[in-house]
Amino acid sequence: MRATDTVAAPKPTATRMTREQSKANTRERLLAAARSAFASSGFHGASVDEIASRAGFSTGALYSNFDGKEDLFLVLMEREIDEHSREIATAVAERPSVAERATGGAQRWMTMIEREPELLLLFMEFWAYGVRDAGVRPKVAARFAQVRRLLTQLIEDGVREFDLQLALPAEQLAVAVDALADGIARQKLADPSAVPDDLMGRVLGLLFSAATRPAGE
Amino acid sequence: MRATDTVAAPKPTATRMTREQSKANTRERLLAAARSAFASSGFHGASVDEIASRAGFSTGALYSNFDGKEDLFLVLMEREIDEHSREIATAVAERPSVAERATGGAQRWMTMIEREPELLLLFMEFWAYGVRDAGVRPKVAARFAQVRRLLTQLIEDGVREFDLQLALPAEQLAVAVDALADGIARQKLADPSAVPDDLMGRVLGLLFSAATRPAGE
DNA sequence: CCGCTTCGATAGTGAACGTTATCGCAATAG
DNA sequence: CTATTGCGATAACGTTCACTATCGAAGCGG
């Protein structure tokens, strides 16, 4: 019963694995299993037993690779947020106009909601967890700040490229955009029929049209 | 040990209470204790023992007044959402212009965030709970719909009173406003310094200025 | 090929949880 | 004043959970 392999191992390469390869591999499989377990049952709902056995390991392995359930969860969240904010950024950056960037980013976000709803639930849990626990809150705040910086950067890039001026600091506009994205996701998940797919793009378009004007005056 | 009274009873009136008065009183005190316990520890964190004893009762009383922890939580949430959406509505309705309505509602929302952050956390948990549990989801969706209807109504009232026309259906604008409010709250709770108090009002103002124009085309 | 080190398996601990069966006691009706 | 009804107290149950102490095995350096 070496591994029932519910989660595919990166490679059980024919050759023996070096010690650190093996450890990294274990970590990776634990993270993948945790992602799946947390996603389907939530932070509280998922048990460490379930996570470890889904990865084909025992809880001992989990505790020798992470400080515990909380640590595992936090590591996972950081990784996911990194990955997805990169996705959004590339979806925005290569569009040729302000309006298209808005709808492009919005579209990317909407498909992400549709494709991985459980992940968004996890983000919310991550948030709730951090807001309640004073020790974790800085980590959550840091992640928010990271996303905010990214959006700010995207906005400032647009302002420079299209020679605009803003009615509001780019940072604050970034806060609003992030807020809108979060809120739209929440409503879509609670009641998909209430949120048309093109809504976010249109609202972003309106918002930017009101918040920007050509730099001459 | 009739009552240690951690939660104040409405009135231990000198006269004896009728049977249904007594039961209603018990329910009320249990709800108050639940509000406080859930708020400080979250849905999972709070135990039914804690809730019951904070109310000055035993767990048996709780189970004879509610179907269980989940039922208690849902009843509490419905009540809170009712109350707070009424508050927002009155804060908006009595302002004399579109811009002032926007900033008025936004201000009310920001002070609510500052005054009762734990309650917002609870709303999020309520949401997460409903999204995960197919049996509860309709109840959550219904509450969202209720808020959406209220906002839609407020918007339509404004459109009629000030003789405007909308670039977007009022319902969809309501979704956006609700989303923005939620998202702003989330960021403010995670990192208060990142969200200026007047941001939401200004963004709402921009959004409405872009989404409306005088009715004569 | 050997001895040392460390990763991961196993089994187990203690605590906390939601829930329910049982029973005393007080409020109502006759 | 008595009989009845049902609310609420008590205590215990069964389950589940995060976490850890111990030990075998497999990679590592020599």
Side-chain angles (χ1 to χ4, degrees):
Chain A
M1 205 219 289
R2 187 52 202 271
T4 344
D5 274 348
T6 314
V7 168
K11 274 231 179 135
T13 34
T15 76
R16 279 276 179 70
M17 280 190 292
T18 171
R19 213 169 190 85
E20 60 181 344
Q21 279 176 332
S22 161
K23 178 149 190 165
N25 182 295
T26 303
R27 245 182 101 90
E28 219 51 46
R29 287 174 60 188
L30 282 169
L31 276 169
R35 199 191 116 111
S36 144
F38 281 139
S40 64
S41 313
F43 177 72
H44 298 284
S47 71
V48 291
D49 275 349
E50 184 195 346
I51 294 172
S53 67
R54 270 214 223 194
F57 295 102
S58 64
T59 63
L62 192 155
Y63 279 92
S64 96
N65 278 282
F66 300 93
D67 286 346
K69 196 189 189 184
E70 173 177 320
D71 181 46
L72 176 56
F73 183 64
L74 294 177
V75 169
L76 180 66
M77 281 298 99
E78 297 198 0
R79 165 186 295 220
E80 291 292 333
I81 292 176
D82 276 356
E83 185 178 325
H84 283 82
S85 50
R86 242 197 317 277
E87 264 188 51
I88 295 282
T90 63
V92 169
E94 53 199 13
R95 304 293 179 105
S97 77
V98 171
E100 287 186 77
R101 288 191 182 189
T103 58
Q107 261 173 19
R108 194 86 197 77
W109 181 242
M110 296 310 286
T111 60
M112 194 188 297
I113 295 172
E114 224 152 325
R115 270 215 309 252
E116 311 205 87
E118 321 87 1
L119 204 58
L120 281 163
L121 258 164
L122 269 193
F123 290 160
M124 301 289 174
E125 283 194 90
F126 175 59
W127 172 85
Y129 199 72
V131 170
R132 243 188 246 289
D133 185 315
V136 182
R137 183 156 45 222
K139 299 192 183 189
V140 176
R143 288 293 134 179
F144 266 84
Q146 177 186 343
V147 172
R148 207 161 49 233
R149 257 195 314 275
L150 184 97
L151 288 174
T152 305
Q153 192 62 52
L154 290 175
I155 292 171
E156 282 173 349
D157 288 350
V159 165
R160 194 175 326 105
E161 284 184 46
F162 302 112
D163 202 26
L164 303 169
Q165 77 181 45
L166 291 174
L168 219 58
E171 253 190 19
Q172 295 189 23
L173 213 47
V175 171
V177 171
D178 192 5
L180 195 65
D182 261 14
I184 291 273
R186 286 183 34 129
Q187 292 187 65
K188 179 122 190 138
L189 289 187
D191 184 356
S193 70
V195 186
D197 278 341
D198 64 343
L199 176 60
M200 177 159 175
R202 296 176 68 181
V203 172
L204 272 189
L206 287 174
L207 184 60
F208 280 122
S209 80
T212 62
R213 68 188 62 205
E217 167 58 358
Chain B
M1 202 219 292
R2 188 54 203 268
T4 343
D5 274 348
T6 313
V7 167
K11 275 231 180 133
T13 36
T15 77
R16 280 275 179 71
M17 281 191 294
T18 172
R19 217 175 186 82
E20 62 180 341
Q21 279 176 331
S22 161
K23 177 147 190 168
N25 183 296
T26 302
R27 243 183 101 91
E28 218 50 46
R29 288 173 59 188
L30 282 169
L31 276 169
R35 200 191 115 110
S36 145
F38 281 140
S40 64
S41 313
F43 176 73
H44 299 283
S47 71
V48 291
D49 276 349
E50 184 195 348
I51 293 172
S53 66
R54 270 214 223 195
F57 295 101
S58 66
T59 63
L62 192 155
Y63 278 93
S64 98
N65 277 281
F66 299 93
D67 287 346
K69 196 189 191 185
E70 173 178 321
D71 181 46
L72 176 57
F73 183 65
L74 294 178
V75 169
L76 180 67
M77 281 298 98
E78 297 199 359
R79 166 185 296 220
E80 292 293 334
I81 292 177
D82 276 356
E83 184 178 326
H84 283 82
S85 51
R86 244 196 316 276
E87 262 188 52
I88 294 283
T90 63
V92 169
E94 52 198 15
R95 304 294 179 105
S97 77
V98 171
E100 288 186 75
R101 290 191 180 188
T103 58
Q107 262 173 17
R108 194 87 197 76
W109 181 243
M110 296 310 284
T111 61
M112 192 187 300
I113 296 172
E114 224 153 322
R115 271 215 308 253
E116 310 205 89
E118 321 88 0
L119 203 58
L120 281 163
L121 258 164
L122 270 192
F123 290 160
M124 301 289 174
E125 284 194 88
F126 175 60
W127 171 85
Y129 200 71
V131 170
R132 244 188 246 290
D133 184 316
V136 183
R137 182 155 45 222
K139 298 191 182 191
V140 177
R143 290 291 135 179
F144 266 84
Q146 176 186 345
V147 172
R148 207 161 50 232
R149 257 196 312 276
L150 185 98
L151 289 173
T152 305
Q153 192 62 52
L154 290 175
I155 293 172
E156 282 174 348
D157 288 351
V159 165
R160 195 175 327 104
E161 285 183 46
F162 303 111
D163 202 27
L164 304 168
Q165 76 182 45
L166 291 173
L168 220 58
E171 251 191 20
Q172 295 189 24
L173 213 46
V175 170
V177 171
D178 192 6
L180 196 64
D182 260 14
I184 292 273
R186 285 181 34 119
Q187 290 186 69
K188 180 122 190 137
L189 290 187
D191 185 355
S193 71
V195 186
D197 278 340
D198 63 344
L199 175 59
M200 180 162 170
R202 295 176 69 181
V203 171
L204 273 189
L206 287 174
L207 184 58
F208 280 122
S209 79
T212 62
R213 68 188 63 204
E217 171 54 355

